Amino acid sequence: MPRPTVARVDLDALRHNYTLACEKAGTARAMAVVKADGYGHGIAAVAGALANLAPKYAVACLEEARAIRAAGLAQPVVLLQGVHQPGDLAECRERAFEPVLHSAEQLEWLAGAGTPPAFWLKVNSGMNRLGFGPGDLLAVVSGLGVASSRPALQGFVTHFACADDPDSPMTDAQTAAFVSATMPWPELMRSVGNSAAHFRPGQPLFDWSRPGIMLYGGSPVLGKTGPELGLRPVMRLEAPLMATRWLKPGDSVGYGAVWTATVETRMGMVAVGYGDGYPRHAGTGTPAAVGGQRISLIGRVSMDMLAVDLSAAPDARTGDAVELWGDTVPIDEVAGHAGTISYELMTGVTARVPRLYSGN
């Protein structure tokens, strides 16, 4: 019998979160961001579950776009990193992939590509990763003088650096820079809205928003969990309680003996560890749950197992399923204890953990 450590994926919750993104987007349409294997949930299953809702998908790279076509889905797919070699543009044209071009080199490839694919231009409004500076945009668009290139230009994309922080003025500054830079082309589309932007009062999302982490139930806003924003958790990571024992005062647990019992404590071992993608830096006090009762980790996380204090769950027995994150324990809370973000936890669940789907 296989080890019953699994990631349960609720596709109804995914659809709920996408619908909420559409409501938050107002008049903008929402392209579903399914990069990084659908944020670790399985790109084919995630994209398929949204097939009757999402008019467009967004991914990082060509390989992910191909996975969407392999799943039998025909919606246009935006490639947020553009393309990595000239020959990719022909495939984009043939398969309705829309690269976001961000460099002079990519524009040179475009000029030599014959009939170009539909494409977008990335505007560097202040995040300073990729894109053309606002002051350069007029020359960039004018340089697309080839008759076949100009009609293929869909519009402009930018990305916010601090939209997760309601107190940061940077998002307003980036929005103003983007609006000013793209003003000469009101007929073209614009896209700025990452997940966090959906929750900023008064934030314009223009023509297309790009919900990502919020689709999967993770919070894009500092100081908030997904459920506090009306999002439903899509992934429930669970593993069996494989053993229990009573520890006496003075007994320690695990590598480094970093936790020692001060009172008699019932301890349980759970069959999950950093080899499954559970964060090694989630230490003592990180929440988990069994039978709907919240419990906490003790000691260090090992590759294949971790220890929990069962004092708050006296009825727990060997074989019971322990929730590492899900409905009872928000993934954002676990991420906070581990010094990371929910994005990393979701995408870090390894291939040896089966994804089990419901709500299809």
Side-chain angles (χ1 to χ4, degrees), residues 3-6 238-243 269-272 318-322 324:
R3 182 186 65 147
T5 298
V6 299
E238 65 179 45
L241 191 63
M242 59 190 296
M269 295 305 302
V270 185
V272 68
T318 301
D320 287 352
V322 176
L324 287 310

Side-chain angles (χ1 to χ4, degrees), residues 36-322:
D37 196 28
Y39 283 57
H41 295 69
I43 190 170
V46 164
L50 296 175
N52 293 329
L53 296 174
K56 197 185 292 277
Y57 300 109
V59 298
C61 54
L62 191 61
E63 302 94 299
E64 295 171 339
R66 289 170 178 164
I68 290 175
R69 290 291 178 264
L73 303 172
Q75 283 96 326
V77 184
V78 174
L79 307 184
L80 297 173
Q81 286 188 0
V83 293
H84 295 276
Q85 57 185 14
D88 295 340
L89 290 167
E91 182 176 353
C92 289
R93 181 184 66 247
E94 294 163 3
R95 308 189 76 178
F97 301 155
E98 301 176 4
V100 178
L101 305 184
H102 55 78
S103 69
E105 183 179 40
Q106 289 178 333
L107 294 183
E108 291 175 5
W109 297 345
L110 185 74
T115 302
F119 68 96
W120 301 72
L121 292 177
K122 181 71 172 283
V123 180
N124 176 17
S125 60
M127 193 171 189
N128 293 314
R129 294 193 309 185
L130 301 173
F132 302 100
D136 300 326
L137 202 58
L138 186 61
V140 167
V141 176
S142 297
L144 301 174
V146 179
S148 61
S149 294
R150 288 293 292 275
L153 175 59
Q154 303 298 292
F156 307 97
V157 172
T158 198
H159 195 59
F160 292 140
C162 299
D164 60 334
D165 183 355
D167 298 324
S168 173
M170 189 169 183
T171 304
D172 290 339
Q174 284 192 260
T175 301
F178 181 75
V179 169
S180 176
T182 59
M183 195 175 295
W185 305 280
E187 74 281 7
L188 295 178
M189 295 183 290
R190 292 178 287 181
S191 175
V192 302
N194 58 4
S195 288
H198 290 72
F199 295 94
R200 288 181 62 86
Q203 172 64 47
L205 298 184
F206 303 103
D207 301 289
W208 285 96
S209 74
R210 306 190 304 275
I213 190 64
M214 69 178 295
L215 298 184
Y216 310 96
S219 172
V221 179
L222 291 177
K224 298 285 187 180
T225 65
E228 290 173 336
L229 297 173
L231 302 169
R232 290 170 52 185
V234 176
M235 180 187 290
R236 172 188 165 100
L237 181 65
E238 65 179 45
L241 191 63
M242 59 190 296
T244 67
R245 71 173 65 244
W246 284 96
L247 301 176
K248 301 185 299 294
D251 287 345
S252 61
V253 174
Y255 288 118
V258 297
W259 182 89
T260 301
T262 58
V263 297
E264 191 173 44
T265 303
R266 186 163 177 254
M267 180 269 291
M269 295 305 302
V270 185
V272 68
Y274 60 79
D276 303 291
Y278 191 85
R280 182 177 181 273
H281 297 295
T284 297
T286 302
V290 60
Q293 299 294 315
R294 285 171 63 101
I295 56 177
S296 60
L297 273 63
I298 52 178
R300 285 183 182 165
V301 175
S302 301
M303 181 180 288
D304 308 306
M305 65 186 80
L306 54 81
V308 292
D309 181 346
L310 294 174
S311 300
D315 296 328
R317 296 292 179 267
T318 301
D320 287 352
V322 176

Side-chain angles (χ1 to χ4, degrees), residues 1-16:
M1 175 180 174
R3 182 186 65 147
T5 298
V6 299
R8 300 189 183 277
V9 178
D10 183 349
L11 298 176
D12 284 336
L14 175 78
R15 286 186 282 264
H16 164 86

